[in-house]
Amino acid sequence: MSSRAVHTSQQAPLLFIVSAPSGTGKTSLCNEVLRRVPSLSFSISHTTRAARPGETPGSDYYFISQDEFQQHIAQQKMAEWTKIYGNCYGTAVDTIQRLFAGGADILFDIDERGARQLTEKYPDAATILILPPTLDELKKRPMERGTEDTESLSRRLKRAQNEIQTMAWYRYVVINDRFEDAVTALTSIIIAERCKKTHAIIDTVLNNGKQREK
Ligand code: 5GP
């Protein structure tokens, strides 16, 4: 895909915050979109949970200890963070700064509480909620994955139900029924956000590709 228009290359990176209840297939969806959409980087979170089979440290997550995470919070090194079933998850300020310096747009896979914290700092961030076609669908995938016992699965389902209700404020919704359709929808949101009219874009065009001196 070569849809990254010339006009966006000199703008500040756009932020895409993707959240979903567990079992929605969000990780596969995000990975596919990251593979297809140029100039889009994934924000790698820090977490205190243990790595699952197949996860790569420094690629899926930065896996750190509770002590390290608490130190990061105390030293205000976290742009946002949350606690889910005793495990901490968060986005480091450093991670965001590095991504901003890289210039590509940024995709965050974080929960609703993290999304609230980030949108306070970055109100223009596009918030995207991924939903299954029905609540019942949420049971299937973790069971197929076989990584969870019944108790933790039912806790997740209860949380998912509450979470969906609290995520009503998100700007976009993508229903992950057919995977390919969901990839197209998420990709289209990213492209539409990139095409949003801003004075900076128009100025850049009028200035033959250069940003005007302030
Ligand atoms: P999992 O343990 O299944 O990888 O992730 C559990 C939840 O943590 C998911 O909803 C995911 O979006 C969320 N999460 C992952 N990283 C972060 C983060 O950096 N900040 C916040 N707030 N949530 C995160």
Side-chain angles (χ1 to χ4, degrees):
M1 188 189 292
S2 60
S3 62
R4 176 97 180 153
V6 171
H7 64 246
T8 57
S9 63
Q10 292 180 352
Q11 290 189 107
L14 300 178
L15 273 49
F16 298 97
I17 301 178
V18 177
S19 304
S22 169
T24 316
K26 175 189 52 175
T27 306
S28 315
L29 190 57
C30 287
N31 286 341
E32 189 55 26
V33 168
L34 283 159
R35 210 178 59 74
R36 290 195 203 179
V37 178
S39 296
L40 184 67
S41 300
F42 179 62
S43 166
I44 303 166
S45 299
H46 284 70
T47 184
T48 61
R49 83 148 163 76
R52 293 194 186 115
E55 284 184 331
T56 312
S59 173
D60 294 292
Y61 281 106
Y62 299 112
F63 296 98
I64 61 171
S65 68
Q66 279 283 358
D67 280 353
E68 284 173 296
F69 204 100
Q70 291 312 321
Q71 273 173 29
H72 280 28
I73 295 168
Q75 294 165 0
Q76 301 190 331
K77 288 184 175 172
M78 286 303 184
E80 64 76 30
W81 70 279
T82 196
K83 202 169 196 175
I84 304 173
Y85 305 131
N87 287 315
C88 295
Y89 296 81
T91 309
V93 173
D94 262 11
T95 303
I96 297 184
Q97 281 172 349
R98 243 181 299 118
L99 290 168
F100 264 93
D105 295 334
I106 311 169
L107 184 75
F108 297 86
D109 168 351
I110 62 176
D111 81 342
E112 192 266 344
R113 281 171 292 179
R116 274 187 196 278
Q117 296 168 57
L118 269 197
T119 49
E120 267 170 35
K121 293 189 177 119
Y122 306 101
D124 290 336
T127 45
I128 307 161
L129 167 60
I130 314 291
L131 285 184
T134 66
L135 198 61
D136 272 354
E137 282 289 316
L138 286 183
K139 286 184 200 153
K140 283 193 196 159
R141 282 175 249 214
M143 277 166 88
E144 280 164 11
R145 218 166 43 188
T147 49
E148 273 179 275
D149 56 36
T150 324
E151 195 194 327
S152 110
L153 185 59
S154 67
R155 268 191 325 190
R156 273 193 191 258
L157 279 179
K158 186 83 211 133
R159 182 170 194 271
Q161 231 171 331
N162 295 335
E163 231 180 359
I164 291 171
Q165 279 154 352
T166 61
M167 291 194 278
W169 62 274
Y170 277 49
R171 293 209 340 241
Y172 296 96
V173 181
V174 170
I175 304 288
N176 190 9
D177 190 358
R178 286 190 56 243
F179 183 72
E180 196 54 40
D181 292 347
V183 171
T184 304
L186 186 49
T187 304
S188 305
I189 292 166
I190 294 168
I191 295 170
E193 285 284 321
R194 285 177 175 178
C195 293
K196 253 192 190 157
K197 188 212 81 179
T198 67
H199 292 295
I201 294 174
I202 295 173
D203 273 358
T204 303
V205 172
L206 290 175
N207 211 23
N208 285 323
K210 291 193 207 86
Q211 267 180 324
R212 215 178 277 283
E213 297 288 322
K214 293 248 162 73

